[in-house]
Amino acid sequence: HMLEQEDEVLRESAYRNFYAGYGSMIHTLAACLNGQTNQLKFNSTARKYASSLECAVDANNVSPRVYEQLIETVHKNIHVLHKYMRVRKEVMKKERLHMYDLYVPMVNECNIPVSFEQAKEDVLHSIQLYGTEYAKVYERGLNSRWIDVYENEGKRSGAYSSGQRVHPFVLMNFANSLDTEFTLAHEMGHAMHSYMSFKHQPFIDSDYKIFVAEVASTCNEALLMHYLLERTTDKKERAYLINYLLEQYRGTMYRQAMLAEFEMLINEEVAKNNTLSAELLNKINHDLNAFYYGEDVIVDAPIDLEWAKIPHLYMNFYLYQYATSFCASMAISQKLLKGNQEDIENYLNFLKGGCSKSPIDLLKMAGVDMTSPHPIHDAICQFDQLVDEFDELINCK
């Protein structure tokens, strides 16, 4: 939250103080990550896999090539992220950006409060294309206490959806903001995926795999974004919405790909029998940030420690799935918005699929082939177009 404030001194102070806590115990944290990565190496070697990466992704019947292809495609198109950083730099009127400048909204004037009733109305309208059966269950979920809506004393932060046989349960902390409206769309996407999988699959196949877990949620966010953009005629408001979407691309596609690359590189170091010292981990992370963000962003020293705060690095090649799911969602949402009934039915069958097929085959049912670089490349092309549109709107070109 502090990194979103306009006061640059406050942002920098919050940023440096936050990472100072990790810096005070950085060698202990490096030893923990070194131990985790060596454990993965031992397990993969014992099971006669060629690498820790191959061992990890094989649990989902996914080829290591899908992981590598994500990183390669992002690398080939890194200039688009650099272009976005250039636009951000110009909007913020800075010669170069710092890492603590990356989360400041570039359009503040349209930050209009959104009530929960309005958010429910918006998300319900945005999913009508799925048809009556889906929409009726969705509406029931919104109005039948599936959701723990507001902040409360002792309640955990964030949001999640938990699939259960009776019906899914959603926790969130709605704050009358655009951000939490999208959280509602996201978590209800998860909830409907769980509802449909539990309804249509036997218990053993009812719980979908992590590789596809973020698809339904992110796809519903994309539909909400389309609905809101269709309804606005105000240039500033449109720019505000596109700013939000651009940050999703940066945070979910590029940043998660970067962290996935970090995880791949540290596992390669351990495969060579190298120890993951704090110095080595900091250098790998520093170099990745420099490559990903380009010459318009100063890679401030505290960001080198970012690896120390990522719990997913202890979850065995987990992070790349955020990026692949995001790209798959963007591809699917574009198909759905064209209104072809066959595409909509194929997607609903994907939601009903649970884990009755491998994640790759389930996504093929929905019309997306993640063994190909095309979904990632297409998502980057959409990002590129959005950067250009945002630049035009914000500068009234």
Side-chain angles (χ1 to χ4, degrees):
H1 176 69
M2 291 290 186
L3 294 182
E4 296 174 7
Q5 303 305 307
E6 286 189 47
D7 185 336
E8 185 172 347
V9 175
L10 176 63
R11 292 201 308 273
E12 182 178 3
S13 175
Y15 172 81
R16 295 193 181 282
N17 281 299
F18 175 78
Y19 280 110
Y22 290 99
S24 67
M25 55 183 78
I26 200 66
H27 297 294
T28 302
L29 293 166
C32 289
L33 190 54
N34 184 63
Q36 163 74 7
T37 313
N38 273 284
Q39 180 190 49
L40 299 184
K41 178 189 173 185
F42 174 84
N43 288 337
S44 62
T45 304
R47 290 165 174 76
K48 302 191 182 335
Y49 284 97
S51 66
S52 295
L53 170 60
E54 184 184 16
C55 179
V57 298
D58 191 48
N60 284 334
N61 291 332
V62 173
S63 163
R65 189 73 200 119
V66 173
Y67 196 107
E68 294 157 358
Q69 201 164 242
L70 166 70
I71 293 165
E72 286 170 13
T73 309
V74 167
H75 269 233
K76 284 177 188 170
N77 296 279
I78 202 65
H79 63 279
V80 185
L81 181 58
H82 295 173
K83 177 164 81 171
Y84 177 44
M85 290 300 105
R86 251 189 329 273
V87 171
R88 175 173 277 278
K89 178 187 77 170
E90 288 163 8
V91 170
M92 294 184 70
K93 297 181 170 53
K94 299 193 73 169
E95 285 188 23
R96 290 178 79 192
L97 296 166
H98 287 275
M99 300 306 293
Y100 48 81
D101 294 327
L102 301 186
Y103 295 91
V104 184
M106 290 186 283
V107 188
N108 276 323
E109 301 94 308
C110 299
N111 196 0
I112 302 161
V114 182
S115 71
F116 186 61
E117 290 306 313
Q118 180 64 53
K120 285 199 298 184
E121 187 180 318
D122 289 344
V123 295
L124 188 57
H125 278 296
S126 72
I127 55 83
Q128 291 301 314
L129 58 79
Y130 290 140
T132 310
E133 183 187 351
Y134 183 104
K136 277 184 178 174
V137 177
Y138 194 96
E139 185 170 14
R140 188 166 83 239
L142 288 174
N143 297 305
S144 303
R145 297 185 59 132
W146 285 19
I147 310 167
D148 183 353
V149 180
Y150 295 106
E151 291 182 338
N152 206 343
E153 188 175 346
K155 184 177 174 182
R156 61 158 281 178
S157 61
Y160 68 79
S161 171
S162 176
Q164 304 292 335
R165 294 204 75 77
V166 54
H167 64 68
F169 290 89
V170 170
L171 176 142
M172 64 180 304
N173 290 278
F174 195 82
N176 295 329
S177 66
L178 179 71
D179 188 46
T180 49
E181 178 175 7
F182 275 95
T183 300
L184 176 64
H186 184 101
E187 298 306 335
M188 282 300 292
H190 280 310
M192 288 301 297
H193 193 179
S194 296
Y195 176 89
M196 295 175 79
S197 287
F198 273 100
K199 183 178 178 184
H200 292 278
Q201 295 298 327
F203 181 78
I204 195 167
D205 286 334
S206 60
D207 198 10
Y208 45 81
K209 295 282 190 182
I210 293 297
F211 189 86
V212 297
E214 294 300 323
V215 172
S217 53
T218 313
C219 188
N220 279 17
E221 283 194 79
L223 296 182
L224 174 60
M225 178 59 75
H226 175 80
Y227 173 74
L228 294 174
L229 284 171
E230 286 282 293
R231 291 174 65 221
T232 184
T233 53
D234 182 75
K235 282 191 173 184
K236 282 284 185 188
E237 192 175 327
R238 185 173 181 84
Y240 180 74
L241 290 165
I242 291 174
N243 178 193
Y244 181 90
L245 185 52
L246 290 172
E247 281 302 288
Q248 278 194 308
Y249 273 93
R250 184 181 71 81
T252 312
M253 184 174 68
Y254 281 105
R255 183 168 178 271
Q256 302 302 335
M258 181 177 75
L259 292 171
E261 184 172 358
F262 175 84
E263 190 170 5
M264 185 177 73
L265 291 173
I266 65 173
N267 277 273
E268 286 174 1
E269 290 292 336
V270 166
K272 298 175 198 168
N273 297 317
N274 293 332
T275 300
L276 297 178
S277 65
E279 290 77 14
L280 178 58
L281 291 165
N282 287 352
K283 183 181 187 312
I284 292 170
N285 201 47
H286 180 94
D287 292 347
L288 283 172
N289 273 282
F291 171 75
Y292 272 74
Y293 287 110
E295 62 183 18
D296 290 307
V297 180
I298 297 166
V299 183
D300 302 281
I303 201 66
D304 298 357
L305 313 181
E306 185 181 29
W307 58 268
K309 77 177 180 82
I310 309 290
H312 301 77
L313 293 174
Y314 294 85
M315 294 171 71
N316 201 359
F317 290 96
Y318 183 100
L319 286 155
Y320 85 104
Q321 297 167 118
Y322 286 115
T324 52
S325 288
F326 183 84
C327 294
S329 303
M330 293 301 106
I332 290 168
S333 64
Q334 291 303 304
K335 278 178 176 289
L336 295 175
L337 287 166
K338 288 173 184 170
N340 183 310
Q341 197 55 42
E342 186 181 350
D343 287 336
I344 292 167
E345 285 302 318
N346 287 340
Y347 180 65
L348 291 174
N349 287 331
F350 158 78
L351 294 179
K352 296 171 184 174
C355 61
S356 58
K357 296 182 178 181
S358 76
I360 294 290
D361 287 338
L362 283 167
L363 284 171
K364 283 180 181 175
M365 279 173 55
V368 177
D369 183 3
M370 291 309 294
T371 63
S372 153
H374 294 307
I376 300 153
H377 185 265
D378 290 349
I380 292 170
C381 286
Q382 287 176 45
F383 178 63
D384 195 11
Q385 290 164 11
L386 286 165
V387 173
D388 288 340
E389 183 180 352
F390 178 81
D391 191 23
E392 188 173 331
L393 284 168
I394 206 74
N395 292 303
C396 301
K397 289 177 182 172

